[in-house]
Amino acid sequence: MTMLQQETNAGASLELEKTIERLAKPYLEPRRHAVVAIGILRGDEKRVFGFGDLSPYGEAGYGELIYEIGSITKVFTTTLLAGLLAEGKVRLDDPVGRYESALPADHPVKLRHLATHTSGLPTASLAKRLLNRFDRKTYRDPFCLFSVEEALAYLRRKGPERAGKKFRYSNAGMGLLGRVAARQLGTDYEGAVRERIAGPYGMKDTGIALASEQRGRAVPGYSGLLGNETRQPDLVMKDFEGAGALRSTVNDLFRFLSVHMAASRDPADPLALCHRVHHEMNDRAGVALGWIVHRTGKFVWHNGGTHGFSSFMGFRQDRPHGVVVLSNYRPGVGRVTTDLIGAELLKLP
């Protein structure tokens, strides 16, 4: 196991280095092709640690390697929503039917429900999965039970009785919100992210399509463990990009986290709305706009997974401490995951 530490400010303590090595070792051992980048943000101080072979990526450091970030994309979608809310272009309690003609204009499912996974769209459905296997004509994005038309039809039938009642994690729901945000900005989803987030925040390596130079820094994704590892194809999403289509780097996600961490300490900041709990999941956690808020540790976080990548990003509300973990292995069974690594690093003093 090799580790490279890159520092933008002061040197990391030996204790922190040992902690990261201890957490990463059992994750890396069964993953022969792993390239893992870990970012620690404390106030203005940024530290990047990496594991794996850098030689295929030229002069790039771990902080510049590009990964699929999966569902971390969802908090970009709700960041777009917060901007539209601040400008008065939409309201949180606007019916989705105001923006999707397939639904009645006064339909009870609101933008708030899409942003908090309480629209009624299901997380999973065995019956729907079986039906999809026999329907080869309908295009559905990876990790999505529904096409756009199917999702809207489901909301039309089930939304009135289910809206706002229960947290049901939904890629299609957040994907619909991404569609609404992009349309309100007169562009597609990637264009909206570049215009409102990546450009203003200085995130030059965050997007969906990669330029030629960026492809040279894109890490290949894998699934499986030692002896059964498989290279996975790049993720392609056409309809629900706002649910999980983005690619990014640790350095770019530092910039994104810094903006949100500052906003969480300023109630007047429009982005502060993103971190306020809008629906209780249980007695320990609630869902804000996209983000999960863990009350006991005062953590705000999201994770992600695609065919060949897993990711974690979070910060603390009680002090300026943020963490990013990016891996080129699909989430799977195992004692140590990117979520565990990220959560343990957030607990550090």
Side-chain angles (χ1 to χ4, degrees):
M1 179 179 66
T2 59
M3 176 172 72
L4 175 71
Q5 172 191 323
Q6 298 171 300
E7 304 162 307
T8 55
N9 288 326
S13 69
L14 181 59
E15 182 179 354
L16 176 60
E17 184 175 328
K18 288 182 177 179
T19 298
I20 291 175
E21 287 183 333
R22 173 179 59 81
L23 291 171
K25 184 177 180 180
Y27 181 83
L28 295 165
E29 284 178 342
R31 296 171 172 87
R32 292 179 299 177
H33 307 288
V35 180
V36 177
I38 298 174
I40 306 292
L41 178 60
R42 291 180 173 177
D44 294 328
E45 187 175 14
K46 303 177 180 68
R47 301 167 181 172
V48 180
F49 300 85
F51 301 86
D53 184 11
L54 274 179
S55 61
Y57 310 106
E59 299 298 317
Y62 287 105
E64 301 165 302
L65 298 182
I66 298 173
Y67 295 77
E68 294 175 4
I69 61 172
S71 286
I72 287 178
T73 300
K74 291 178 172 67
V75 295
F76 283 74
T77 298
T78 55
T79 299
L80 292 175
L81 174 63
L84 292 170
L85 291 168
E87 295 167 9
K89 292 185 176 179
V90 302
R91 295 179 303 170
L92 201 53
D93 287 322
D94 279 348
V96 177
R98 185 170 296 179
Y99 306 101
E100 291 284 359
S101 60
L103 296 177
D106 60 349
H107 193 274
V109 174
K110 306 179 188 304
L111 298 184
R112 177 192 302 274
H113 299 137
L114 297 181
T116 59
H117 300 286
T118 57
S119 68
L121 283 165
T123 306
S125 167
L126 179 59
K128 184 65 168 72
R129 289 188 184 280
L130 289 173
L131 286 173
N132 289 353
R133 291 186 65 180
F134 293 99
D135 177 11
R136 301 302 179 91
K137 296 181 179 180
T138 303
Y139 172 81
R140 301 175 186 89
D141 276 339
F143 307 105
C144 293
L145 280 177
F146 302 96
S147 67
V148 173
E149 294 75 16
E150 289 173 334
L152 292 171
Y154 187 95
L155 288 179
R156 192 166 57 246
R157 294 194 314 271
K158 300 290 187 179
E161 64 189 63
R162 295 185 175 179
K165 294 182 179 178
K166 184 179 179 181
F167 175 85
R168 305 175 86 191
Y169 190 85
S170 173
N171 287 324
M174 193 64 73
L176 288 174
L177 183 62
R179 281 166 51 90
V180 170
R183 285 176 176 177
Q184 289 303 110
L185 293 170
T187 184
D188 59 13
Y189 183 78
E190 183 174 28
V193 169
R194 292 194 186 281
E195 175 187 332
R196 291 302 184 98
I197 301 174
Y201 295 5
M203 301 169 66
K204 61 183 179 63
D205 288 320
T206 297
I208 298 175
L210 298 179
S212 176
E213 183 277 329
Q214 291 173 318
R215 286 195 293 271
R217 291 184 283 120
V219 183
Y222 289 85
S223 65
L225 297 177
L226 194 62
N228 190 32
E229 294 161 293
T230 305
R231 172 76 167 85
Q232 292 296 314
D234 295 342
L235 178 68
V236 177
M237 301 183 77
K238 300 177 182 179
D239 293 329
F240 293 140
E241 294 99 329
L246 288 177
R247 295 166 171 83
S248 192
T249 66
V250 165
N251 287 347
D252 273 10
L253 293 177
F254 273 156
R255 295 180 173 90
F256 185 83
L257 263 185
S258 295
V259 172
H260 275 271
M261 289 165 65
S264 73
R265 299 189 296 273
D266 179 6
D269 191 308
L271 287 180
L273 183 66
C274 291
H275 318 127
R276 297 174 193 157
V277 171
H278 294 262
H279 184 87
E280 301 289 346
M281 297 168 62
N282 51 50
D283 59 355
R284 299 182 307 278
V287 59
L289 298 186
W291 297 89
I292 304 301
V293 180
H294 214 283
R295 297 186 185 281
T296 53
K298 297 185 177 180
F299 302 157
V300 181
W301 63 276
H302 211 291
N303 59 7
T306 66
H307 297 299
F309 295 84
S310 56
S311 53
F312 176 94
M313 179 174 70
F315 65 92
R316 296 191 65 120
Q317 292 180 303
D318 58 347
R319 57 179 179 266
H321 182 186
V323 171
V324 178
V325 183
L326 302 179
S327 168
N328 66 327
Y329 269 73
R330 179 177 183 161
V333 296
R335 182 172 58 87
V336 178
T337 63
T338 51
D339 288 357
L340 183 143
I341 293 170
E344 289 298 311
L345 291 173
L346 278 180
K347 293 176 185 177
L348 295 179

